[in-house]
């Protein structure tokens, strides 16, 4: 009886252990899966494009329609153009789109005409391309990009912008002369066929070679694209070969994500994030640089605002203030930490931003004047106390508050006068005259709003780090005659430094991942640079705005996942550092 | 001077003022939300302004005074050149009720700025009435027709169900508006209410706000579906996160040994608490909604395809995503509670012949229960305040149906829902009538704030209580 009940209990014990362990494992697995799943989502972004020949029977089976006969087309349009323009001699390349006609000579002279209807033609521009000899030329169906192959085997893309040809980065190929060029419009890529009978696929904007395929020894071959642009037919005499162009995500590569790219319709190479395009005619521009800079900029201004305030406040709470205060202040901070950021974002966007626009000078002025007032207050107080032979360690809080308020009042008075006399009554227009553009939703707003969100995080950890420094250390130094500040600055802060660093890092981690404040109060324009009076667009805000609209398999969605992964890794690294630092701190305190 | 510098009094002052600044900021923030949020439902007086117009004539404006500030809102046509003397003039922002439906004449904007210098006379007519219509309009005016005698109408009565003659409302701009009594939802005479009556009305207005549906793109009505959606979502999340979080914590602390691997896993789990919530939202969208939801649809709802049932953002996926997000919170809090229990208690239990399961079930878990509770409350507080991930996995501006209703199967996990935080984002941003939206947003923010602060404070109290209790246990043990 005894024995059986014992084994029963043992069984229960064992089953319970299994169950709990199973749940534990599954939770860990689920958390690891997040990372793996996101990685799997990103991976296809970097899968290679390919050109694969189709077997004869597949060719027959796959019924695709070709985009007209190239030869006929070219001849037709050439004849048409000659007829219409009453040209005396044939033009080497006649490129036509729906409403423009581009006539190009081998030596680089060109004429560019618009044609509406059948016979109303107008010369848009003419000139000379800076190319010695042209071997092949083509134009994208939208008429935005002209591609010209020169005799040295390079492809020169031009973008047509306001009746002007703007040269883009030339695409370097193998160096063999190119016979024919075709544009794969849907992917913004170009297919080239050169003298060595190799087909190469390039992404136009980035100049990246995506794939190539060698068709054995068939001189004078011709390429034709299928209507859906998925297949390419090669013909040489009676020989025929169909290849499949597999080009899944040409718009996303490391180069495009992190380097400046010259996109069609733009004047120069730049970092551009423009994922949702107005029409199908414009390509998605997916540079992560402006977004990453936006994230860093927002975090930088938030930390600039939060770090000094939080560390000083925590030092006071942990070291100078009475212990009974400490608990109350910590409770307040805990509430502040849990404040939903959507509320902060709302206040920042609809109260702080309009207020700061009217009182910018007041804010900037108080950054200087208030500290000066506090300095004066402290100095005066110190000598007064000394003269009276009181202790000089602890000012009472209302004195500090008084000097703080004095500073604010003083600033208000000074600033309204300064604005009238120095800045002709309006600081913002004074700034604007000096070429400084002030946006209502700018980095200062973000600095303050996100600073408020980050302060409690930094505060709590700093407070813990300083408070838990063994008291024997402090007592020793104070017994030797140091003031409390001297004890703090020379002894306690160095000891607690890893903890304070951890606090700042944790705050940084929070600032990097914050979304709602940034979504509401930044203006969400992807900008470069760290200008304090300009807004930004961050990775997180972009995720929140664009992810619901991006379709699952698209390059856009995968790039967004990549951005998420980037954020995840960034915060994970930061948080791991925090954990390590805190462990080290604990170890250090145990040793002391 | 040197002495002062060396002594460091300056830095003490700086740190004290940093603390004061932070606390003042906090107080300002909270009082701003509370003040403005409460103000939204306060029955403000209707004031009649006699205004001198630019042409020299007179006009009458009646409405609520929203705010008064020195400014240059409507000074001159040239914005860049502002006469400093004009800056001192007070500007009054008046809410004169909806006027858009009136035939052309007069101001058409609901909110208008008046120059204080142009106001000749202010008065508060006792018979001024505020009508809240069923279609969302708000009308201010004076009743003209005979059958609704202002003197007799109960000023506290608010719902009208007496059909009768249409009322004739005289608007301040001189137009008479015919009002069908059936269209009137509520009315009151704000100027003739005394303090107590106003307070009662104020409470009633809050009650309506909390229990009614929003209408007119959320610019009118209440926030009930948003509160309900938040609650249901959070409840569902708690049901999911509690068992997993608690069991994972027990596994980590009681079963998994003290190897380096456990340590790595523990640190990783803790770090997951710091992962940006929007990243979790994206994971929820990509995995739960598209992958899992798509599979579910193909398996069980194939007849409704291509219209997705679970393959689209919804309540269940939102709860699941937030559960994943708050899992570390629960694990950390529970582990903390487990770690605070002295080892001696477990050893004592073993010594009496109990198995590990019995020890955990009978000795450890009951004592760590408050810690689990704390973790859950913290998780709920975080989930209630999160908005960004929800934007990806199921929250919408306005949901036609609640996720729980009388229709079989009663709980509709696939439905999209409303959420207080998102409602705040939406009302603040999407609404054209900004002044009104601002005021409404503050009320929404206040509700959200109250919810979160209550949850957090209770968690804080619970934790403090717990710490004190175990400190006592430990010290008494040491005494032994």
């Amino acid at each position: 009886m005894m024995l059986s009940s014992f084994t029963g209990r043992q069984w229960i014990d064992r089953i319970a252990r299994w169950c709990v362990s199973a749940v534990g494992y599954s939770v860990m697995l689920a958390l690891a899966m997040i990372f793996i799943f996101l990685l799997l989502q990103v991976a296809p972004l970097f899968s290679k494009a390919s050109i694969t020949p189709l077997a004869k029977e597949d060719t027959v089976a796959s019924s695709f329609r070709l985009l007209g006969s190239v030869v006929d087309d070219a001849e037709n349009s050439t004849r048409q153009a000659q007829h219409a323009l009453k040209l005396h001699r044939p033009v080497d390349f006649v490129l036509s789109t729906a409403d423009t006609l581009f006539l190009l000579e081998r030596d680089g002279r060109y004429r560019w005409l618009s044609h509406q209807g059948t016979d109303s033609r107008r010369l848009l521009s003419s000139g000379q391309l800076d190319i010695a000899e042209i071997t092949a030329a083509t134009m994208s169906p939208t008429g935005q990009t002209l591609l010209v192959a020169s005799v040295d085997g390079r492809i020169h893309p031009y973008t047509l912008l306001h009746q002007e040809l703007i040269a883009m980065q030339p695409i370097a190929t193998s160096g063999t002369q190119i016979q024919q060029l075709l544009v794969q419009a849907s992917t913004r890529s170009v297919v080239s066929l050169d003298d060595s009978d190799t087909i190469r696929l390039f992404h136009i904007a980035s100049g990246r070679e995506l794939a190539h395929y060698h068709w054995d020894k068939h001189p004078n071959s011709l390429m034709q694209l299928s209507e859906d642009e998925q297949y390419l037919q090669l013909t040489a005499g009676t020989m025929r070969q169909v290849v499949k162009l597999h080009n899944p995500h040409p718009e996303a590569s490391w180069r495009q994500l992190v380097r400046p790219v010259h996109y069609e319709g733009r004047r120069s190479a730049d970092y551009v994030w423009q994922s949702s395009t107005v029409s199908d005619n414009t390509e998605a521009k997916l540079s992560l640089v402006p977004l990453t800079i936006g994230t860093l900029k927002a975090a930088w201004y938030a930390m600039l605002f939060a770090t000094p305030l939080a560390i000083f406040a925590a030092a006071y709470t942990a070291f100078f203030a009475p212990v009974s205060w400490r608990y109350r202040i910590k409770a307040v901070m805990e509430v502040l930490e849990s404040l939903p950021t959507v509320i902060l974002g709302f206040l920042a966007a609809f109260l702080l931003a309009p207020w700061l626009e009217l009182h910018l000078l007041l804010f900037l002025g108080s950054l200087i004047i208030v500290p000066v007032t506090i300095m004066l207050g402290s100095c005066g107080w110190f000598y007064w106390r000394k003269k009276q032979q009181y202790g000089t360690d602890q000012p009472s809080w209302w004195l500090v508050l008084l000097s703080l308020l004095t500073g604010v009042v003083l600033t208000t008075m000074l600033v309204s006068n300064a604005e009238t006399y120095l800045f002709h009554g309006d600081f913002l227009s004074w700034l604007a005259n000096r070429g400084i553009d002030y946006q209502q939703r700018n980095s200062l707003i973000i600095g303050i709003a996100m600073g408020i969100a980050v302060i409690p995080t930094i505060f709590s950890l700093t407070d813990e780090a300083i408070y838990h420094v063994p008291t024997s250390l402090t007592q020793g130094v104070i017994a030797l005659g140091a003031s409390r500040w001297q004890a703090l600055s020379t002894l306690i802060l160095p000891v607690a430094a890893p903890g304070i660093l951890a606090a700042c890092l944790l705050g940084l981690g929070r600032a990097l991942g914050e979304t709602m404040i940034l979504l509401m109060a930044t203006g969400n324009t992807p900008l470069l640079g760290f200008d304090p009076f300009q807004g930004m667009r961050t990775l997180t805000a972009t995720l929140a705005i664009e992810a619901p609209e991006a379709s699952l398999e698209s390059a856009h969605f995968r790039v967004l996942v990549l951005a998420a992964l980037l954020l995840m890794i960034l915060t994970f690294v930061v948080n791991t550092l925090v954990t390590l630092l805190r462990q080290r701190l604990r170890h250090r305190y145990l040793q002391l | 001077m040197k002495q002062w510098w060396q002594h460091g009094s300056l830095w003490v002052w700086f740190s004290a003022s940093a603390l004061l600044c932070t606390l003042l900021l906090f107080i300002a923030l909270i009082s701003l939300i509370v003040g403005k949020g409460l103000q939204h439902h306060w029955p403000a007086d209707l004031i009649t302004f006699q205004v001198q117009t630019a042409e020299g004539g007179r006009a009458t404006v009646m409405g609520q005074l929203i705010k008064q500030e020195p400014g240059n809102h409507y000074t001159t046509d040239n914005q860049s050149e502002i006469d400093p003397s004009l800056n001192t003039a007070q500007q009054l922002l008046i809410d004169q009720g909806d006027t858009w439906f009136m035939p052309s004449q007069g101001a058409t904007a609901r909110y208008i700025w008046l120059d204080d210098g142009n106001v000749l006379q202010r008065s508060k007519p006792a018979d001024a009435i505020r009508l809240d219509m069923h279609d969302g309009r708000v009308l201010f005016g004076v009743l003209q027709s005979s059958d609704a005698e202002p003197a007799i109408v109960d000023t506290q009565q608010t719902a009208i169900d007496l059909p009768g003659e249409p009322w004739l409302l005289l608007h301040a701009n001189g137009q008479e508006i015919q009002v069908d009594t059936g269209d009137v939802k509520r009315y009151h005479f704000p100027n003739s209410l005394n303090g107590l009556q106003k307070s009662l009305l104020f409470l009633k207005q809050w009650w309506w706000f909390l229990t009614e549906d929003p209408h007119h793109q959320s610019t009118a009505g209440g926030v009930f579906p948003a509160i309900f959606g938040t609650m249901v979502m959070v409840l569902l999340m708690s049901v999911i996160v509690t068992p997993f979080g608690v069991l994972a914590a027990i596994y980590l602390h009681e079963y998994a040994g003290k190897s380096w691997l456990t340590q790595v896993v523990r640190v990783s789990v803790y770090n997951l608490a710091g992962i940006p919530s929007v990243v979790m939202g994206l994971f929820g969208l990509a995995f739960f909604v598209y992958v899992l939801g798509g599979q579910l649809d193909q398996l069980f709802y194939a007849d409704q395809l291509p219209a997705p049932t679970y393959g689209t953002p919804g309540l269940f996926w939102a709860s699941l995503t937030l559960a994943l997000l708050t899992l570390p919170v629960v694990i950390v809090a529970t582990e903390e509670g487990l770690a605070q229990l002295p080892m001696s208690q477990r050893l004592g239990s073993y010594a009496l012949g109990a198995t590990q399961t019995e020890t955990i079930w009978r000795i450890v878990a009951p004592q760590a229960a408050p810690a689990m509770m704390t973790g859950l409350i913290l998780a709920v507080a975080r989930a209630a305040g999160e908005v960004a991930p929800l934007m990806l996995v199921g929250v919408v501006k306005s949901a036609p149906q609640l996720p729980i209703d009388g229709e079989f199967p009663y709980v509709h996990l696939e439905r999209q829902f409303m959420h207080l935080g998102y409602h705040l984002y939406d009302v603040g941003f999407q609404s054209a009538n900004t002044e009104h939206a601002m005021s409404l947003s503050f009320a929404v923010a206040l509700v959200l704030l109250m919810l979160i602060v209550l949850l957090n404070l209770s968690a804080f109290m619970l934790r403090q209580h717990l710490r004190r209790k175990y400190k006592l246990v430990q010290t008494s043990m040491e005494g032994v």
Side-chain angles (χ1 to χ4, degrees):
Chain A
M1 196 63 194
M2 238 346 238
L3 197 71
S4 76
S5 88
F6 178 75
T7 44
R9 283 172 57 208
Q10 229 177 12
W11 271 111
I12 290 172
D13 182 42
R14 231 178 246 182
I15 291 168
R17 169 185 279 265
W18 284 338
C19 288
V20 173
S21 303
V23 171
Y25 281 129
S26 63
V27 165
M28 308 309 146
L29 212 67
L31 295 179
M33 207 187 64
I34 298 174
F35 188 73
I36 295 167
F37 178 78
L38 291 181
L39 262 185
L40 284 179
Q41 283 290 311
V42 173
L45 204 56
F46 302 106
S47 67
K48 284 213 137 191
S50 62
I51 303 176
T52 39
L54 263 64
K56 264 280 184 309
E57 43 279 19
D58 288 345
T59 318
V60 178
S62 65
S63 53
F64 60 88
R65 287 187 49 203
L66 293 174
L67 267 178
S69 164
V70 181
V71 188
D72 290 356
D73 231 29
E75 276 179 3
N76 259 340
S77 55
T78 313
R79 212 174 301 134
Q80 253 185 17
Q82 277 174 14
H83 176 72
L85 298 170
K86 302 180 181 67
L87 295 176
H88 305 297
R89 53 186 187 79
V91 180
D92 295 323
F93 303 100
V94 178
L95 312 170
S96 65
T97 62
D99 52 1
T100 56
L101 201 61
F102 203 91
L103 310 176
L104 192 63
E105 304 283 355
R106 252 175 212 290
D107 56 6
R109 279 179 297 136
Y110 70 88
R111 266 170 298 172
W112 186 15
L113 308 126
S114 76
H115 65 96
Q116 278 124 11
T118 44
D119 37 37
S120 76
R121 286 196 167 77
R122 196 160 57 85
L123 185 70
L124 290 175
S125 68
S126 63
Q128 169 83 41
L129 295 181
D130 190 21
I131 291 167
E133 196 189 338
I134 293 168
T135 58
T138 188
M139 202 168 206
S140 70
T142 55
Q144 276 186 310
T145 307
L146 168 75
L147 291 141
V148 176
S150 61
V151 74
D152 57 355
R154 299 213 290 180
I155 304 172
H156 302 264
Y158 291 87
T159 178
L160 311 180
L161 186 69
H162 307 306
Q163 313 191 359
E164 202 183 324
L165 282 182
I166 294 164
M168 291 158 73
Q169 187 68 32
I171 303 169
T173 68
S174 62
T176 337
Q177 238 186 54
I178 289 168
Q179 297 172 358
Q180 197 191 350
L181 289 171
L182 279 180
V183 174
Q184 193 184 20
S186 58
T187 58
R188 314 284 151 175
S189 305
V190 60
V191 197
S192 77
L193 176 70
D194 60 24
D195 276 348
S196 63
D197 292 314
T198 310
I199 303 163
R200 289 172 202 278
L201 185 62
F202 300 96
H203 183 243
I204 299 172
S206 64
R208 195 160 54 96
E209 183 177 322
L210 301 165
H212 62 89
Y213 168 72
H214 186 72
W215 196 32
D216 277 331
K217 297 194 183 58
H218 295 285
N220 303 322
S221 45
L222 267 176
M223 307 187 290
Q224 269 172 286
L225 265 177
S226 70
E227 205 166 46
D228 62 359
E229 299 189 326
Q230 298 288 310
Y231 299 94
L232 193 71
Q233 177 175 276
L234 302 164
T235 36
T238 53
M239 295 285 290
R240 205 164 79 91
Q241 170 73 58
V242 175
V243 293
K244 182 169 169 41
L245 301 175
H246 178 67
N247 192 6
H249 300 302
E251 65 268 60
S253 68
W254 281 118
R255 201 190 126 89
Q256 277 132 291
L257 291 175
V258 301
R259 301 279 313 150
V261 175
H262 191 162
Y263 288 104
E264 64 176 21
R266 291 186 157 263
R267 280 209 177 267
S268 57
D270 209 347
Y271 302 99
V272 193
W273 175 268
Q274 197 179 1
S275 56
S276 47
T277 51
V278 189
S279 64
D280 290 343
N281 286 346
T282 40
E283 70 188 301
K285 303 167 181 70
L286 305 171
S287 174
L288 284 178
V289 174
L291 304 184
T292 314
I293 286 186
T295 293
L296 293 178
K297 177 180 170 186
W300 160 249
Y301 280 102
M303 293 305 283
L304 204 63
F305 180 80
T307 318
L309 269 183
I311 290 181
F312 272 124
Y316 190 81
T317 315
F319 199 68
F320 298 109
V323 181
S324 59
W325 274 41
R326 187 169 166 262
Y327 284 107
R328 272 176 227 157
I329 294 170
K330 275 184 85 75
V332 169
M333 284 294 174
E334 196 129 332
V335 173
L336 190 54
E337 182 161 21
S338 65
L339 207 66
T341 50
V342 64
I343 292 182
L344 285 175
F346 164 72
L347 291 178
F350 296 105
L351 275 187
L352 186 61
W355 183 87
L356 200 65
E357 195 177 21
L358 289 176
H359 305 279
L360 178 64
L361 196 61
L362 179 68
F363 175 74
L364 295 180
S366 66
L367 287 185
I368 303 163
I369 297 173
V370 170
V372 170
T373 343
I374 291 167
M375 218 176 206
L376 289 177
S378 133
C379 193
W381 177 82
F382 179 78
Y383 286 109
W384 177 70
R385 292 286 278 203
K386 227 174 151 52
K387 210 165 149 194
Q388 305 283 320
Q389 310 222 315
Y390 295 137
T392 48
D393 261 348
Q394 297 281 351
S396 46
W397 65 271
W398 55 269
L399 267 177
V400 181
L401 185 64
L402 199 70
S403 62
L404 200 69
L405 293 181
T406 315
V408 173
V409 172
L410 209 66
T411 321
T412 323
M413 278 157 46
L414 280 177
V415 158
S416 61
N417 285 323
E419 189 149 20
T420 316
Y421 296 114
L422 290 179
F423 306 110
H424 313 297
D426 190 0
F427 184 53
L428 285 189
S429 49
W430 184 83
L431 276 182
N433 289 340
R434 269 147 198 80
I436 300 170
D437 179 31
Y438 182 87
Q439 293 181 345
Q440 198 195 40
R441 294 184 180 167
N442 57 40
S443 309
L444 287 183
I445 306 286
I446 292 305
I448 297 170
M450 205 153 74
I452 293 176
V454 166
I455 282 175
T457 313
I458 304 180
F459 178 90
S460 308
L461 251 65
T462 310
D463 170 77
E464 295 282 329
I466 294 176
Y467 186 73
H468 290 297
V469 172
T471 41
S472 53
L473 283 178
T474 330
Q475 286 162 354
V477 182
I478 287 180
L480 288 173
S483 71
R484 274 186 86 77
W485 170 259
Q486 283 163 342
L488 183 72
S489 62
T490 53
L491 194 83
I492 294 183
L493 286 184
V495 171
I500 297 172
L501 186 62
C504 293
L505 281 175
L506 200 67
L508 182 69
R510 192 166 170 196
L512 290 174
E514 176 46 50
T515 311
M516 287 318 285
I517 296 175
L518 297 166
L519 189 58
M520 297 177 87
T522 56
N524 286 319
T525 326
L527 295 171
L528 293 167
F530 276 71
D531 190 334
F533 297 138
Q534 302 255 316
M536 77 282 284
R537 185 192 187 98
T538 62
L539 290 169
T540 48
T542 307
L543 284 180
I545 299 170
E546 293 179 6
E549 283 151 21
S551 54
L552 182 61
E553 301 278 309
S554 67
H556 180 201
F557 190 80
R558 293 192 199 283
V559 171
L560 287 179
V561 175
L562 178 69
L565 209 58
L566 209 71
L567 272 173
M568 190 170 166
I569 294 170
L570 213 62
T571 44
F572 201 84
V573 168
V574 167
N575 286 345
T576 309
L577 268 177
V578 170
T579 315
L580 292 179
L581 280 171
R582 291 186 75 186
Q583 270 177 1
R584 202 177 136 185
L585 191 71
R586 215 165 297 143
H587 192 65
R588 188 184 276 192
Y589 286 170
L590 283 179
Q591 278 182 335
L592 285 170
Chain B
M1 202 68 177
K2 197 180 167 203
Q3 218 177 4
W4 164 69
W5 183 259
Q6 275 181 347
H7 181 272
S9 147
L10 170 67
W11 301 104
V12 181
W13 277 64
F14 269 158
S15 47
S17 45
L19 180 63
L20 280 173
C21 270
T22 316
L23 292 180
L24 283 179
L25 260 177
F26 178 73
I27 292 166
L29 236 147
I30 299 291
S31 48
L32 194 73
I33 297 169
V34 172
K36 290 224 172 193
L38 288 179
Q39 197 190 338
H40 181 67
H41 290 301
W42 183 254
D45 282 339
L46 289 173
I47 306 171
T48 309
F49 297 90
Q50 299 282 342
V51 189
Q52 185 146 26
T53 58
E55 295 86 39
R58 281 190 173 200
T60 314
V61 175
M62 182 163 84
Q64 296 172 346
L65 180 61
I66 303 290
K67 63 181 172 188
Q68 185 165 350
E69 59 184 39
N72 32 44
H73 301 278
Y74 278 105
T75 42
T76 44
D77 41 4
N78 193 345
Q79 282 286 316
S80 55
E81 291 285 320
I82 290 162
D83 186 358
S85 66
L86 278 177
N87 280 348
T88 52
Q90 291 283 319
Q91 301 272 330
L92 312 175
L93 181 62
I94 314 290
D95 172 12
Q96 55 166 354
D98 287 308
T99 51
W100 50 265
F101 56 90
M102 291 184 194
S104 63
Q105 186 196 341
T108 46
R110 177 168 174 176
Y111 292 87
I112 54 169
W113 286 97
L114 291 183
D115 214 333
D116 197 25
N118 293 338
V119 175
L120 301 171
Q121 197 191 348
R122 297 185 194 200
S123 59
K124 289 184 187 175
D127 55 350
I129 190 171
R130 176 194 166 115
L131 298 176
D132 288 279
M133 314 294 283
H134 277 298
D135 56 9
R137 280 180 300 164
V138 175
L139 304 181
F140 301 144
V142 176
L143 282 187
Q144 292 292 297
S145 59
S146 53
D147 81 320
E149 292 143 39
I152 310 171
V153 176
D154 178 15
T155 47
Q156 303 246 351
Q157 183 194 338
T158 41
I160 298 181
D161 25 46
L162 33 125
E165 292 288 299
W167 291 354
L168 220 52
L169 187 75
L170 179 65
H171 194 266
N173 61 13
Q175 292 198 30
E176 286 194 337
I177 310 156
Q178 219 175 37
V179 178
D180 223 350
T181 44
D183 292 343
V184 178
K185 196 174 179 188
R186 290 173 190 130
Y187 72 94
H188 63 267
F189 298 93
N191 295 352
S192 59
L193 295 174
N194 62 28
L196 185 68
Q197 287 169 320
K198 276 193 178 179
S199 312
L200 276 174
L201 188 61
F202 173 70
L203 289 180
K204 271 190 187 169
Q205 300 226 28
W206 264 105
W207 177 247
W208 292 323
F209 184 64
L210 294 179
T211 52
E212 278 182 2
D213 285 355
H215 42 88
H216 294 88
Q217 280 103 35
S218 306
T219 55
V223 290
F224 177 69
I227 297 179
F228 190 75
T230 312
M231 292 291 189
V232 172
M233 190 265 299
V234 159
L235 204 69
L236 199 59
M237 180 216 76
S238 313
V239 171
I240 301 167
V241 80
T242 316
F244 282 102
V246 167
L247 287 181
I250 290 179
Y251 167 74
L252 268 182
H253 195 263
E254 303 288 326
Y255 287 116
K258 288 226 182 312
S259 68
W260 63 270
L261 191 67
T262 326
Q263 202 56 34
V264 168
V265 168
R266 180 173 291 133
V267 169
S268 315
V269 169
Y270 283 22
N271 285 349
L272 279 177
I275 281 189
S277 53
V278 69
V279 172
M280 221 47 117
L282 189 71
F283 173 75
L285 179 70
F287 184 70
F288 293 144
V289 176
Y290 290 149
V291 176
L292 278 188
Q295 290 295 320
L296 273 181
D297 272 2
Q298 277 179 2
L299 286 177
F300 300 111
Y301 299 93
D303 48 331
Q304 286 172 26
L305 283 174
T309 309
Y310 277 96
T312 181
L315 175 65
F316 184 59
W317 302 131
S319 305
L320 211 56
T321 307
L322 284 190
L324 212 53
L325 188 69
T326 50
L327 196 61
V329 179
V330 177
I331 295 181
V332 169
T334 310
E335 253 212 288
E336 194 192 340
L338 292 174
Q340 272 174 354
L341 276 181
M343 198 60 202
S344 51
Q345 289 198 4
R346 294 186 185 88
L347 296 179
S349 170
Y350 295 149
L352 291 172
T355 61
Q356 195 174 9
T357 308
E358 284 162 347
T359 307
I360 290 171
W361 186 245
R362 297 260 171 83
I363 310 287
V364 177
Q367 295 196 66
M372 297 171 194
M373 208 52 216
T374 314
L376 183 61
I377 296 174
L378 282 178
V380 165
R382 176 149 188 213
E386 279 295 354
V387 180
L390 295 179
M391 290 169 74
L392 306 186
V393 289
V395 83
V396 282
K397 284 183 201 178
S398 85
Q401 294 157 307
L402 293 176
I404 297 179
D405 59 16
E407 206 178 296
F408 184 79
Y410 310 118
V411 182
H412 305 274
L413 295 179
E414 79 285 358
R415 279 190 188 161
Q416 297 194 313
F417 62 103
M418 289 176 71
H419 182 271
L420 266 180
Y422 188 71
H423 197 64
L424 174 59
Y425 169 75
D426 178 51
V427 173
F429 250 97
Q430 326 278 344
S431 175
N433 206 346
T434 35
E435 274 306 327
H436 181 67
M438 274 279 273
S439 168
L440 184 67
S441 304
F442 273 108
V444 178
L446 181 61
V447 176
L448 182 61
L449 185 74
M450 285 297 129
L451 191 75
I452 305 275
V453 167
L454 276 181
L455 283 170
N456 271 290
L457 271 185
S458 55
F460 183 76
M461 305 276 205
L462 207 61
R463 203 161 59 227
Q464 290 298 326
H465 171 74
L466 210 68
R467 282 200 182 138
R468 225 166 288 151
K469 192 173 142 194
Y470 286 116
K471 227 169 214 170
L472 282 181
V473 170
Q474 271 163 345
T475 42
S476 63
M477 300 285 286
E478 277 160 22
V480 173

